[in-house]
């Protein structure tokens, strides 16, 4: 069943919501969830805007997971992942929640350009739980090295 971020119990942990002309972005501690508007062709300039907001809201030194909650059909310019890496941005935990087979087919193209593994989910709660566990694992792993 399709859910927006606002429909989840996790929404109570929200830090900030930013609405752009191309979608709505929800910022939590270590987690960003997007809901891109229907028909958008998501490209590097849009991604750069959200990256800058994420650095502002979450910070540059915190591990971040990104969930694309694909409640609307839209497309991604997969080659723009190369620009993401060229600009030295890091995203270890990327997951896509898709509620139909059409939404999952675009992931295959993204996988060609995204360096890490893209996790697929059919429900938002599972994606949130996985993302939070990965962030927590990374924080625990980094804590001794930071002292």
């Amino acid at each position: 069943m399709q859910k927006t971020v606002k429909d989840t119990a996790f929404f109570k942990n929200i830090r900030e919501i930013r609405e752009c002309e191309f979608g709505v972005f929800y910022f939590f501690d270590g987690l960003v969830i997007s809901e891109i508007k229907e028909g958008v062709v998501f490209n590097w300039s849009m991604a750069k805007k959200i990256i800058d907001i994420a650095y502002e809201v979450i910070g540059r030194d915190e591990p971040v997971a990104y969930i694309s909650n694909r409640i609307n059909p839209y497309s991604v310019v997969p080659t723009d992942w190369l620009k993401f890496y060229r600009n030295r941005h890091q995203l270890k935990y990327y997951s896509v929640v898709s509620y139909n087979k059409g939404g999952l087919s675009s992931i295959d193209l993204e996988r060609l350009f995204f360096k890490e593994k893209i996790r697929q989910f059919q429900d938002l709660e599972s994606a949130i739980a996985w993302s939070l566990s990965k962030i927590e694992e990374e924080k625990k792993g980094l804590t001794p090295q930071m002292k």
Side-chain angles (χ1 to χ4, degrees):
M1 184 170 117
Q2 187 169 307
K3 274 192 177 180
T4 67
V5 176
K6 290 180 180 180
D7 295 333
T8 67
F10 187 70
F11 184 71
K12 70 182 183 296
N13 300 310
I14 192 80
R15 280 181 66 173
E16 195 164 323
I17 299 172
R18 294 282 182 102
E19 189 160 349
C20 301
E21 61 279 3
F22 49 86
V24 181
F25 296 81
Y26 302 88
F27 295 87
F28 302 88
D29 289 331
L31 180 61
V32 179
I33 304 175
S34 69
E35 293 177 350
I36 306 296
K37 292 181 179 177
E38 185 171 352
V40 166
V41 177
F42 194 76
N43 61 32
W44 170 245
S45 66
M46 295 171 187
K48 178 73 173 102
K49 185 174 184 174
I50 299 310
I51 291 166
D52 291 343
I53 293 170
Y55 285 153
E56 174 191 323
V57 175
I58 298 172
R60 288 186 172 266
D61 299 325
E62 292 297 314
V64 174
Y66 177 74
I67 299 173
S68 174
N69 188 28
R70 298 192 176 175
I71 58 172
N72 297 309
Y74 70 93
S75 57
V76 174
V77 178
T79 53
D80 278 0
W81 278 113
L82 300 174
K83 294 176 185 171
F84 177 84
Y85 292 113
R86 226 177 277 132
N87 284 277
R88 307 224 187 296
H89 298 296
Q90 297 294 319
L91 183 62
K92 288 185 184 176
Y93 311 113
Y94 174 37
S95 58
V96 173
V97 180
S98 184
Y99 303 94
N100 59 52
K101 290 192 188 277
L104 293 176
S105 64
S106 66
I107 297 171
D108 292 333
L109 202 51
E110 284 181 71
R111 280 193 172 112
L112 297 174
F113 299 96
F114 184 68
K115 293 179 181 178
E116 305 294 332
K117 184 176 171 137
I118 300 175
R119 290 288 307 251
Q120 295 172 228
F121 294 93
Q122 293 181 331
D123 68 278
L124 185 55
E125 283 90 353
S126 296
I128 291 169
W130 177 81
S131 298
L132 293 176
S133 72
K134 290 297 178 187
I135 293 299
E136 193 57 37
E137 285 172 20
E138 184 163 335
K139 282 183 178 179
K140 285 179 182 176
L142 291 176
T143 304
Q145 296 170 358
M146 290 179 160
K147 291 184 179 179

